[in-house]
Amino acid sequence: MSIRDEIKTVLISEEQIRERCRELGKQVTKDYSEQNATPLVVALLRGSVPFMSELIKYIDLDIQYDFMDVTSYSGTKSTGDIRIVKDLETSGEGKDILIVEDIVDTGRTINAVVGMMKNKGANSVKVITLLDKPSRRVVDVDVDYIGFEVDDIFVVGYGLDYNQRFRALPFVGVPKEEVYR
Ligand code: 5GP
């Protein structure tokens, strides 16, 4: 049985994601060029890796990228206390940081990470996310670039996991109910 057989619906196809990354990359290129800036792209592990890898192909600037891993203190996603598991190797001082996220849900993770980047002395901090679930927001965050809006449903693929599974799927989909049993 293929891992794809455990998916009920494909919400966003590989082609749609590639096309959207192309558009977003163009927009990012334009925006930063106008500011005479080159972003330090910061991908949040592990979910944003496939999105970041596709996106940077279309950013026509001499960018650098780095990774950061954060987790919530309680182990659940529902608290606001975010702890750094792996920090940047690069100094954030004076940088124009573009944080890459897989999905913005309550907004707590991104809110905390934006604060951390500002504390590092970044010149500017922007956020780009593959998916946005605005209906779930509890913290007001500015998301500068959004790939796709999704309803309040649990999705996997293209970096997003369920118990570390499904991350490598090249599309975003909804798992079948039996996956949760
Ligand atoms: P926030 O702090 O915005 O509530 O949490 C964002 C994180 O929650 C994402 O990086 C992701 O790990 C997780 N998350 C939120 N919604 C989903 C979803 O539909 N599917 C998966 N796989 N993870 C989700």
Side-chain angles (χ1 to χ4, degrees), residues 1-15:
M1 195 172 94
S2 154
I3 188 165
R4 294 181 188 225
D5 298 330
E6 296 182 59
I7 298 298
K8 187 166 62 181
T9 0
V10 175
L11 271 190
I12 311 167
S13 72
E14 188 173 2
E15 292 70 30

Side-chain angles (χ1 to χ4, degrees), residues 51-67:
F51 175 45
M52 189 267 244
S53 307
E54 186 62 24
L55 175 72
I56 57 173
K57 296 178 192 170
Y58 310 108
I59 302 180
D60 190 15
L61 297 167
D62 190 16
I63 63 143
Q64 294 187 18
Y65 62 75
D66 201 346
F67 300 93

Side-chain angles (χ1 to χ4, degrees), residues 45-158:
L45 294 171
R46 292 170 239 176
S48 70
V49 169
F51 175 45
M52 189 267 244
S53 307
E54 186 62 24
L55 175 72
I56 57 173
K57 296 178 192 170
Y58 310 108
I59 302 180
D60 190 15
L61 297 167
D62 190 16
I63 63 143
Q64 294 187 18
Y65 62 75
D66 201 346
F67 300 93
M68 189 159 177
D69 193 5
V70 296
T71 187
S72 89
Y73 269 109
S74 66
T76 74
K77 295 272 176 353
S78 56
T79 68
D81 297 327
I82 306 292
R83 177 173 62 91
I84 298 175
V85 177
K86 185 221 165 288
D87 207 343
L88 298 183
E89 312 279 327
T90 323
S91 160
E93 179 85 41
K95 301 284 166 59
D96 293 294
I97 294 180
L98 178 61
I99 303 167
V100 184
E101 179 58 305
D102 51 1
I103 185 166
V104 180
D105 186 35
T106 64
R108 284 179 170 129
T109 307
I110 275 301
N111 186 52
V113 174
V114 166
M116 289 168 187
M117 297 300 127
K118 288 182 176 162
N119 285 340
K120 287 176 184 291
N123 181 54
S124 69
V125 184
K126 283 187 169 191
V127 176
I128 184 165
T129 185
L130 175 63
L131 305 176
D132 185 23
K133 268 190 198 173
S135 60
R136 293 257 310 159
R137 205 71 96 248
V138 290
V139 178
D140 210 12
V141 281
D142 285 333
V143 182
D144 300 276
Y145 306 96
I146 295 165
F148 303 89
E149 263 190 25
V150 289
D151 294 333
D152 185 10
I153 35 166
F154 189 81
V155 294
V156 296
Y158 220 86

